[in-house]
Amino acid sequence: MADRKALDLDTLAVSDRFQLFNFTRRDDHVTYLWILRAVDHLREVHQVQVGAEDVAGALRELATTHPEVPVPDNGLRNRLDQLSSDGIVHRFDDASRAGSLAGYRNRQSVYQFSELGYWAYRAVENVLGARVEEVNLSRLVFSDVLDDLRSLAEANRTGRDEDVYRRLSRLDTVMEDMGRRSAQFHVTLGEILRSTEASPDMFLRYKNALLVHMSDFMAELDRYLPRLDHAVHEVESTGLATLLSRAAETDERLFMARQARLEDWRRRWTAVRGWFASDGTTPTRAAELGAATRSAVSGVIALLRQITESQRGGVNRSTQLRHLAAWVFDATDDGAAHALMGAAFNTRSARHLGVAHEDDEQIPPTTTWWDAPGVELSVTLFRSDRAPTTGVPKPVRRNPGAQAALRERQAQGRAAERRAATQLVQDGAHDRILDETDTRVLLRLLTKALEARSGPLVGKLSATGSDGGTTVRLVPSEHGSTVRTSRGNLHLPGLRLELLAGKGK
């Protein structure tokens, strides 16, 4: 079954891959689609890198069988460059086509599909090529799955590595196809049931074939489900680790490491086991599919009964709409017609909600509400027609753990500063490089000394500051001094630092 690797992509990767579908949103998206079809047509004949002339020739060739193919006279290279900027194709400079120096300087570009670009193009083609007539629940697949499981157990028991790989690959393909078919069938069935009121003839035309198809599928599923459960456990009894190891060794995906291949095959076997093997607690995927099909059969029978009764009585949705249209057409005036349609479909006049702009003078009073800029509305005002309030203040939540951690950090910081102050008194501040803590203590002492001065630091006037038992003195000096720190140098012109323990005198 299909994996869920897309769920692991981050927002940036998803945006980059969505950019591959930009050509579907342009005005001439049909032209871009046919250009990609032409590139794909050339790829099928093993012409991987193509130029603008090659694409134009392929478009003319396709136009012979499809008259709606647009063949642009000019601008084809610009469109290919747009596809290159979207990442759906790669562009290369083809120097081999230049026969002279001037030709080399004016060499043309060639284009080829990028890996993700080709997947994006195929995804668009698959959506365009989807047909309702092709949906079905394959009941014949259960016998093939049972044969593959039995052959897989025998191949693992006898040590045939290549047969193990072939059977596991086939089972993975069958499981993916079965999941896709079942999902598509039930989506299409829901679409048919939803649109039956407007066109019951199509439903009545295919009701017998639909009921027979679902009944046969249910009978085949009930008959094979116990055998498939036993076959899955038989495969696991031959050695699941050996089975997956043999599949990983035979796998020829050279861009994947062995461990990645092993994990990929383990995921695929888990998907196969989830379809058929029951563990007694959760239902299998096949059982869930059977329950959904039984529910769909009940819905089809109920809808068939409803259509039959409505046709027998002569009143259904179509006749009701026709009678309403006749009443509206025969109404005396437009007001009566609008009132009748409003009562029939429960339509009322629009209920507008508005508030004043923050700056009343910014919006002229003659501006209509259609042209005026919008303002933000609170959800409370929109739902209950009441202005929002701040509400009751929330109680203060105590967090003793965080407080204890904060006190611990503060105590550690104060201890580090005391050690730094002691080191400054012992070793001084001039003959070494101060670290962060030493610098912070010294700057705090300098701040206190400068705040305590009685005048400008000129002449023989000094300043003294103390903090926590450490005293700094700014003493006049003819040559000045410099303090080196881990963040840079602190120059003190005309002053010299003296650090003492205790109060300065």
Side-chain angles (χ1 to χ4, degrees):
M1 58 179 297
D3 55 11
R4 298 294 183 181
K5 294 181 180 179
L7 301 178
D8 299 332
L9 295 178
D10 56 9
T11 305
L12 183 60
V14 172
S15 301
D16 291 341
R17 298 200 178 189
F18 275 178
Q19 188 179 359
L20 298 171
F21 297 93
N22 281 350
F23 75 95
T24 62
R25 298 193 294 269
R26 294 195 176 98
D27 295 336
D28 52 347
H29 53 274
V30 177
T31 303
Y32 281 97
L33 178 61
W34 278 106
I35 290 175
L36 291 176
R37 285 172 174 171
V39 176
D40 186 41
H41 177 71
L42 294 171
R43 182 198 59 81
E44 291 176 352
V45 295
H46 307 290
Q47 188 173 350
V48 179
Q49 295 184 352
V50 298
E53 298 81 4
D54 302 327
V55 176
L59 287 173
R60 286 190 292 269
E61 181 180 351
L62 291 173
T64 58
T65 56
H66 303 280
E68 69 276 8
V69 175
V71 182
D73 297 332
N74 50 23
L76 182 57
R77 188 175 301 279
N78 293 332
R79 289 184 172 90
L80 288 170
D81 290 338
Q82 288 290 338
L83 293 173
S84 175
S85 63
D86 293 340
I88 199 167
V89 297
H90 291 315
R91 181 178 62 185
F92 305 95
D93 290 330
D94 186 15
S96 63
R97 300 190 178 190
S100 61
L101 181 60
Y104 176 77
R105 292 174 179 173
N106 300 323
R107 61 188 182 275
Q108 303 296 333
S109 298
V110 292
Y111 307 85
Q112 77 175 51
F113 270 117
S114 64
E115 182 180 3
L116 293 177
Y118 182 73
W119 282 105
Y121 161 70
R122 291 308 309 169
V124 173
E125 286 286 47
N126 290 335
V127 172
L128 296 177
R131 297 294 183 269
V132 178
E133 297 83 0
E134 298 177 359
V135 300
N136 67 318
L137 292 171
S138 179
R139 62 182 178 85
L140 303 178
V141 72
F142 297 121
S143 60
D144 296 336
V145 172
L146 183 60
D147 292 340
D148 287 336
L149 288 173
R150 290 173 176 173
S151 301
L152 178 61
E154 181 64 24
N156 192 37
R157 190 180 297 111
T158 56
R160 300 195 305 271
D161 295 355
E162 294 184 357
D163 287 345
V164 168
Y165 174 75
R166 292 192 189 97
R167 295 297 179 178
L168 269 180
S169 300
R170 182 174 174 180
L171 280 172
D172 179 66
T173 304
V174 170
M175 292 301 98
E176 184 176 356
D177 182 70
M178 182 184 297
R180 179 185 57 81
R181 284 174 179 269
S182 60
Q184 187 177 3
F185 178 82
H186 284 90
V187 168
T188 304
L189 182 60
E191 186 72 17
I192 292 174
L193 298 180
R194 184 191 64 83
S195 60
T196 300
E197 287 189 353
S199 57
D201 295 338
M202 184 185 69
F203 175 74
L204 294 176
R205 188 181 308 124
Y206 297 108
K207 62 177 178 60
N208 292 330
L210 183 62
L211 290 173
V212 170
H213 180 72
M214 289 191 291
S215 300
D216 292 345
F217 176 79
M218 286 302 306
E220 202 75 1
L221 178 61
D222 293 338
R223 189 163 66 95
Y224 274 96
L225 193 54
R227 305 180 189 178
L228 293 170
D229 187 5
H230 180 268
V232 169
H233 287 91
E234 182 182 357
V235 171
E236 293 181 341
S237 65
T238 61
L240 182 58
T242 306
L243 176 77
L244 299 178
S245 178
R246 287 170 175 169
E249 290 292 343
T250 314
D251 195 344
E252 296 179 346
R253 289 178 290 182
L254 67 158
F255 296 111
M256 292 181 64
R258 182 187 182 281
Q259 186 63 30
R261 295 197 301 267
L262 184 61
E263 291 297 328
D264 184 59
W265 283 111
R266 182 176 289 108
R267 177 192 58 79
R268 297 187 185 192
W269 175 253
T270 303
V272 175
R273 194 182 194 284
W275 264 98
F276 302 114
S278 175
D279 54 2
T281 57
T282 58
T284 62
R285 293 288 304 277
E288 293 177 352
L289 176 59
T293 307
R294 288 190 182 90
S295 177
V297 170
S298 301
V300 170
I301 294 175
L303 184 59
L304 177 61
R305 185 184 302 109
Q306 178 183 351
I307 293 176
T308 304
E309 292 177 355
S310 64
Q311 288 187 345
R312 185 184 301 113
V315 178
N316 55 18
R317 185 67 172 171
S318 299
T319 57
Q320 292 175 356
L321 291 175
R322 281 194 291 267
H323 279 83
L324 178 61
W327 293 344
V328 173
F329 182 79
D330 295 335
T332 56
D333 53 13
D334 292 343
H338 288 301
L340 182 59
M341 291 295 291
F345 295 102
N346 193 24
T347 58
R348 299 291 185 270
S349 60
R351 179 174 176 266
H352 298 290
L353 180 67
V355 295
H357 198 273
E358 295 180 356
D359 189 358
D360 297 337
E361 298 180 356
Q362 184 178 353
I363 310 300
T366 56
T367 304
T368 62
W369 67 270
W370 185 268
D371 299 327
V375 295
E376 293 184 358
L377 291 176
S378 65
V379 178
T380 305
L381 181 62
F382 178 76
R383 292 180 176 176
S384 59
D385 200 17
R386 291 194 301 269
T389 59
T390 57
V392 180
K394 295 183 178 180
V396 177
R397 298 184 181 274
R398 298 181 58 84
N399 193 344
Q403 294 175 357
L406 180 60
R407 285 194 295 268
E408 180 67 22
R409 288 197 296 270
Q410 290 175 348
Q412 293 176 359
R414 287 194 294 268
E417 290 180 355
R418 285 194 298 269
R419 290 192 298 270
T422 304
Q423 190 74 17
L424 284 172
V425 172
Q426 295 176 356
D427 301 337
H430 294 291
D431 298 331
R432 61 192 182 94
I433 299 176
L434 305 184
D435 59 10
E436 294 286 344
T437 307
D438 295 338
T439 305
R440 185 166 60 252
V441 173
L442 180 61
L443 291 178
R444 186 166 63 245
L445 291 171
L446 286 175
T447 301
K448 290 183 177 296
L450 293 175
E451 289 177 350
R453 72 183 185 273
S454 58
L457 297 175
V458 294
K460 297 183 179 180
L461 184 62
S462 61
T464 303
S466 299
D467 184 25
T470 304
T471 301
V472 63
R473 297 180 62 190
L474 297 174
V475 181
S477 174
E478 181 180 356
H479 301 288
S481 62
T482 300
V483 178
R484 294 180 298 167
T485 69
S486 59
R487 295 295 184 91
N489 296 332
L490 175 63
H491 299 285
L492 299 172
L495 295 172
R496 178 173 53 84
L497 287 176
E498 290 184 358
L499 292 162
L500 305 171
K503 300 292 184 180
K505 302 294 184 183

